[in-house]
């Protein structure tokens, strides 16, 4: 892998306890503790069949997402989700200030993963300098994209056709000292991390809506194949706010179960 380098808020007890044990249960000290945060409908959908941006959760859920993001050293997003939602991956000022009081940077590092690397430098994330941006991609990234991005982000490009997730996580841990990584999707990336046994915690909001549709993605995407092995979860926290349910699961690792 080549590198091209240019020139914790927890307003609720439940979210605080969710990250206070983040060093416990990680599969390896060579990677960060990975926390995924998602919202799903009552019938298990993360978006509609058109994969367009949807807004089906409450303000409390959006605050919940910000709290989880604020608790992490870095936030990870797949290119497809980034392009669809066009987010900066920032934080409200009060959460930035809380991070500063804890001795952290004002905002977590932002990490983008893309196998093809056709990333538009005009996306909002690249128009904001709130924190460093790291891009993991391959040498399939067109030269014009490399040139456009190398002044806005640190690029890690591999010769392989796909980004090696294990290598990416090790790089974040060892080179960037990321202890906790907040994964915000999408479902394809989440499934890939599950298959690598690299998810440690799942924060799941269940919203009171149903979309239906066989072509609307679930938490693990549209892949009709079973996961390599059943994923076992332990429920460590649950709370309800009006009609939404907030669940926190600790993921039981495959290797640990095989011992």
């Amino acid at each position: 892998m080549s590198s091209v380098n240019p020139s914790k808020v927890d307003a609720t007890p439940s979210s605080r306890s969710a990250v206070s044990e983040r060093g416990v249960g990680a599969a390896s000290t060579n990677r960060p503790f990975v926390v995924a945060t998602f919202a799903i409908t009552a019938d298990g959908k993360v978006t509609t069949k058109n994969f367009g941006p949807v807004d089906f959760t409450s303000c409390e859920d959006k605050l919940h997402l910000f709290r989880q993001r604020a608790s992490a050293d870095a936030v990870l997003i797949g290119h497809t989700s980034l392009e669809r939602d066009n987010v900066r991956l920032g934080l409200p000022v009060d959460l930035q200030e809380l991070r500063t009081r804890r001795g952290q940077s004002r905002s977590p590092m932002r990490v983008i993963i893309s196998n093809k690397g056709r990333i538009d430098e005009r996306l909002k994330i690249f128009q904001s300098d709130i924190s460093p941006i790291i891009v993991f991609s391959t040498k399939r990234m067109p030269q014009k994209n490399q040139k456009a991005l190398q002044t806005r982000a640190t690029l890690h490009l591999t010769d392989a056709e796909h980004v090696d997730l294990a290598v990416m996580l090790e790089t974040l841990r060892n080179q960037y000292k990321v202890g906790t990584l907040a994964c915000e999707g999408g479902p394809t990336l989440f499934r890939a991390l599950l298959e690598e046994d690299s998810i440690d915690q799942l924060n799941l909001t269940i919203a009171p809506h149903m979309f239906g549709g066989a072509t609307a993605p679930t938490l693990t995407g549209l892949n009709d194949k079973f996961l390599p092995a059943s994923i076992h979860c332990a429920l460590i926290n649950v709370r309800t706010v009006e009609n939404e349910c907030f669940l926190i699961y600790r993921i039981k690792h495959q290797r640990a179960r095989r011992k």
Side-chain angles (χ1 to χ4, degrees):
M1 177 179 289
S2 63
S3 174
V4 181
N5 201 322
S7 19
K8 266 177 169 197
V9 283
D10 304 304
T12 62
S14 59
S15 61
R16 175 62 182 159
S17 62
V19 296
S20 62
E21 304 173 35
R22 60 179 176 267
V24 180
S28 170
T29 56
N30 288 327
R31 68 165 178 81
F33 187 85
V34 181
V35 180
T37 301
F38 282 91
I40 62 172
T41 61
D43 58 342
K45 306 298 184 179
V46 295
T47 185
T48 63
K49 66 179 182 179
N50 297 323
F51 288 77
V54 291
D55 188 9
F56 61 89
T57 62
S58 68
C59 290
E60 175 59 29
D61 177 64
K62 294 171 179 62
L63 287 172
H64 177 65
L65 177 66
F66 283 138
R67 293 176 192 128
Q68 300 306 318
R69 186 183 295 172
S71 297
D73 300 306
V75 56
L76 171 68
I77 192 168
H79 178 215
T80 300
S81 294
L82 176 65
E83 194 170 58
R84 180 191 67 204
D85 298 333
N86 198 12
V87 289
R88 292 183 176 87
L89 297 179
L91 290 172
V93 173
D94 58 334
L95 300 191
Q96 295 179 39
E97 293 174 348
L98 183 56
R99 282 177 59 90
T100 300
R101 292 197 297 271
R102 289 200 298 245
Q104 297 173 289
S105 60
R106 288 187 67 87
S107 298
M109 288 187 291
R110 296 167 291 173
V111 183
I112 304 167
I113 182 170
S114 171
N115 288 320
K116 295 181 180 179
R118 296 191 179 96
I119 304 172
D120 189 342
E121 77 278 6
R122 294 170 295 180
L123 289 169
K124 290 180 180 178
I125 193 171
F126 298 113
Q127 313 311 314
S128 169
D129 61 357
I130 55 174
S131 66
I133 301 172
I134 306 166
V135 176
F136 288 89
S137 188
T138 70
K139 291 183 179 177
R140 297 162 63 191
M141 178 185 283
Q143 286 295 321
K144 66 175 184 178
N145 295 91
Q146 291 189 40
K147 184 176 181 180
L149 294 178
Q150 65 185 5
T151 59
R152 295 173 168 87
T154 299
L155 308 183
H156 289 267
L157 307 180
T158 179
D159 290 319
E161 186 174 353
H162 298 92
V163 175
D164 187 317
L165 295 178
V167 172
M168 178 193 72
L169 293 174
E170 288 181 8
T171 300
L172 289 174
R173 182 72 180 98
N174 298 324
Q175 184 170 333
Y176 295 97
K177 310 305 178 187
V178 175
T180 303
L181 178 66
C183 175
E184 296 189 10
T188 300
L189 174 58
F190 176 66
R191 180 186 176 109
L193 288 167
L194 278 179
E195 291 180 347
E196 288 283 332
D197 201 20
S198 295
I199 295 289
D200 300 296
Q201 183 172 301
L202 171 62
N203 303 320
L204 188 64
T205 301
I206 302 177
H209 301 276
M210 286 185 276
F211 292 164
T215 56
T218 68
L219 188 59
T220 53
L222 287 174
N223 196 323
D224 60 359
K225 296 179 181 178
F226 287 110
L227 289 165
S230 177
I231 304 297
H232 295 183
C233 308
L235 183 65
I236 61 174
N237 197 283
V238 58
R239 67 186 177 102
T240 57
V241 179
E242 296 185 353
N243 294 316
E244 288 178 330
C245 185
F246 296 83
L247 307 172
I248 298 175
Y249 290 102
R250 183 60 48 83
I251 305 299
K252 297 182 178 180
H253 290 291
Q254 307 294 325
R255 288 183 290 276
R257 294 208 300 270
R258 286 197 291 265
K259 290 181 180 179

